[in-house]
Amino acid sequence: MQGNGLMSSFSDMKDPRIERTKRHLMNDILFISIAAVLSGVESWDEMELYGKNKQHWLSTILELPNGIPSHDTFNRFFAALDPDEFESRFLKWVASLVDITSGETIHIDGKTMRGSRKQGCKSATHIVSAWADQNELILGQIKVEDKSNEITAIPLLLDSLLIKGSTVTIDAMGCQKSIARQIVKKQADYVLSVKDNQPELLEEIVDSFRMLPINDYYEEVDYGHGRIENRKCSIITDLSLMFCSNKWAGLKSVVKIERERIFKATGKVEKDINYYISTLRKAPIIGKSARKHWGIENKVHWVLDVAFGEDLSRKRDRNAAQNFSSLNRIAINLLKKNNLKVGIKSRRKICGWDNEFLLKTLKN
């Protein structure tokens, strides 16, 4: 265990417990927690059961001076653990796994953990994550009190990431002048969705497509998932009608993406149009980057809900929900690095069945 890159990233983390209550080593708690989540565990009670069922094997790699921690111990530890401290070690570990290179696309989006809403309280824990598409890794995350605070959270998340040479995509909530300026300052490109929260900008983009010629165009057709989807990406690099263009750092083009979906079973047709601004000038690159933004929905948010049961989680004690979310994201990164030709849920089951496979996954 000493040579494990994951565990070494967390070894110098500050223990939140007072000295007289430390019956279990912090590294033992962390190792069991990560191994348990990799193996399909979704609650503190299950974490204790996992530890007790695996105690003989765990005792060969951990010290376990007082046996397996109770579910209350796991809960108290992660409820007290500073989530910023935990997240900083998460970032340190991810940085050792991934080298952001030119052409990487980084998608930033938020997810609400609905089960974390306390009784009588309208707000639930909302996590903003960054997903590297080519590396298939969660680069980092940050908690906000509700979705409206993504505007303040995104700059903090960007500040913690190495994004030079990449293209950053963000939905309309993140279409802010300060965020565009920050991305450019970090020597990255952006593709930002524009909606009604930027009415002046949106109006000028629509007018541009009504009155100016298109400079570049890209189209692709997808026949999968029981439907035919046609996507058309048009860009204009003439910003003469964009009177606010000088307010957006590095702005080089305005973008219109039209989508038409025909459902084979019913013949139903759906159409929509979305607008963007970008520092890029090539329609194929912009169109593919915008489409890949949905990767964070399909490869992260959907996986967290379906394979990890995150939306059903009822962890509400102080920092418990956020820190368990970090455990889930550590597990996704580890499982994505394993090339086994089965889904994430099946990989978790195999981790629970096969100790050697689990150790191999932990060392990815």
Side-chain angles (χ1 to χ4, degrees), residues 222-230 259-271:
D222 183 0
Y223 294 94
H225 307 291
R227 66 188 182 190
I228 302 170
E229 183 168 354
N230 185 30
R259 293 193 299 175
E260 180 182 82
R261 292 177 292 277
I262 303 172
F263 295 87
K264 297 176 184 177
T266 63
K268 180 183 177 182
V269 178
E270 292 180 350
K271 297 182 179 181

Side-chain angles (χ1 to χ4, degrees), residues 168-183:
V168 179
T169 73
I170 314 177
D171 64 15
M173 184 68 75
C175 185
Q176 306 291 328
K177 299 179 185 70
S178 58
I179 291 174
R181 187 162 53 248
Q182 184 180 10
I183 294 170

Side-chain angles (χ1 to χ4, degrees), residues 52-113:
K52 287 181 175 178
N53 277 281
K54 294 278 188 177
Q55 185 166 359
H56 177 72
W57 173 70
L58 288 168
S59 66
T60 66
I61 52 179
L62 302 177
E63 296 186 42
L64 301 178
N66 289 292
I68 299 299
S70 69
H71 63 276
D72 284 333
T73 297
F74 284 116
N75 186 11
R76 285 195 298 267
F77 176 83
F78 283 102
L81 180 62
D82 182 350
D84 292 334
E85 180 100 1
F86 198 27
E87 177 64 16
S88 70
R89 299 312 188 278
F90 176 86
L91 291 169
K92 176 183 175 182
W93 169 61
V94 172
S96 71
L97 297 178
V98 61
D99 180 23
I100 298 299
T101 57
S102 181
E104 176 66 276
T105 308
I106 297 173
H107 311 292
I108 295 179
D109 199 15
K111 178 185 184 297
T112 300
M113 299 173 63

Side-chain angles (χ1 to χ4, degrees), residues 124-327:
T125 300
H126 189 78
I127 304 290
V128 179
S129 300
W131 168 257
D133 183 77
Q134 291 180 14
N135 283 278
E136 291 211 325
L137 283 173
I138 299 171
L139 299 179
Q141 67 175 41
I142 191 167
K143 174 189 172 185
V144 294
E145 293 306 318
D146 55 60
K147 185 173 176 60
S148 64
N149 286 338
E150 282 188 21
I151 294 173
T152 57
I154 291 172
L156 297 175
L157 182 56
L158 283 170
D159 193 50
S160 69
L161 302 176
L162 297 173
I163 62 173
K164 181 179 178 180
S166 64
T167 298
V168 179
T169 73
I170 314 177
D171 64 15
M173 184 68 75
C175 185
Q176 306 291 328
K177 299 179 185 70
S178 58
I179 291 174
R181 187 162 53 248
Q182 184 180 10
I183 294 170
V184 171
K185 187 175 181 180
K186 298 198 78 168
Q187 300 180 57
D189 288 298
Y190 61 73
V191 178
L192 304 180
S193 176
V194 182
K195 293 186 178 178
D196 292 336
N197 63 324
Q198 294 286 350
E200 180 186 2
L201 179 62
L202 180 59
E203 182 180 2
E204 291 180 0
I205 294 173
V206 172
D207 286 344
S208 293
F209 278 99
R210 187 182 299 123
M211 303 173 68
L212 297 173
I214 291 170
N215 297 106
D216 199 13
Y217 177 81
Y218 170 73
E219 183 174 359
E220 63 178 346
V221 181
D222 183 0
Y223 294 94
H225 307 291
R227 66 188 182 190
I228 302 170
E229 183 168 354
N230 185 30
R231 290 178 290 273
K232 302 175 182 177
C233 176
S234 307
I235 72 164
I236 293 174
T237 56
D238 179 354
L239 304 180
S240 59
L241 298 183
M242 298 293 298
F243 302 110
C244 64
S245 63
N246 62 338
K247 300 177 183 178
W248 295 88
L251 181 62
K252 296 292 191 300
S253 65
V254 294
V255 184
K256 177 169 71 172
I257 295 181
E258 302 166 271
R259 293 193 299 175
E260 180 182 82
R261 292 177 292 277
I262 303 172
F263 295 87
K264 297 176 184 177
T266 63
K268 180 183 177 182
V269 178
E270 292 180 350
K271 297 182 179 181
D272 60 62
I273 298 175
N274 293 284
Y275 295 98
Y276 302 81
I277 57 173
S278 180
T279 54
L280 301 168
R281 294 175 178 267
K282 299 293 184 181
I285 297 174
I286 295 171
K288 290 175 182 178
S289 296
R291 182 190 176 191
K292 287 178 180 178
H293 184 82
W294 295 106
I296 196 170
E297 290 286 345
N298 300 330
K299 297 178 181 179
V300 181
H301 298 167
W302 186 86
V303 169
L304 285 168
D305 286 339
V306 174
F308 286 78
E310 190 167 87
D311 251 7
L312 300 176
S313 172
R314 294 294 184 266
K315 300 169 192 71
R316 297 165 180 167
D317 187 9
R318 291 174 288 169
N319 301 319
Q322 185 178 355
N323 285 328
F324 207 100
S325 173
S326 291
L327 289 173

Side-chain angles (χ1 to χ4, degrees), residues 38 93 97 131-138 295-304 307-308 328-345 347-348 351 357 361 364:
L38 277 170
W93 169 61
L97 297 178
W131 168 257
D133 183 77
Q134 291 180 14
N135 283 278
E136 291 211 325
L137 283 173
I138 299 171
I296 196 170
E297 290 286 345
N298 300 330
K299 297 178 181 179
V300 181
H301 298 167
W302 186 86
V303 169
L304 285 168
F308 286 78
N328 284 341
R329 283 155 172 77
I330 288 170
I332 285 180
N333 280 356
L334 288 168
L335 292 165
K336 286 283 187 181
K337 282 295 182 182
N338 193 302
N339 294 322
L340 200 66
K341 301 299 182 182
V342 295
I344 293 294
K345 200 165 188 177
R347 294 182 205 185
R348 294 185 82 192
C351 282
F357 181 81
T361 302
N364 279 340

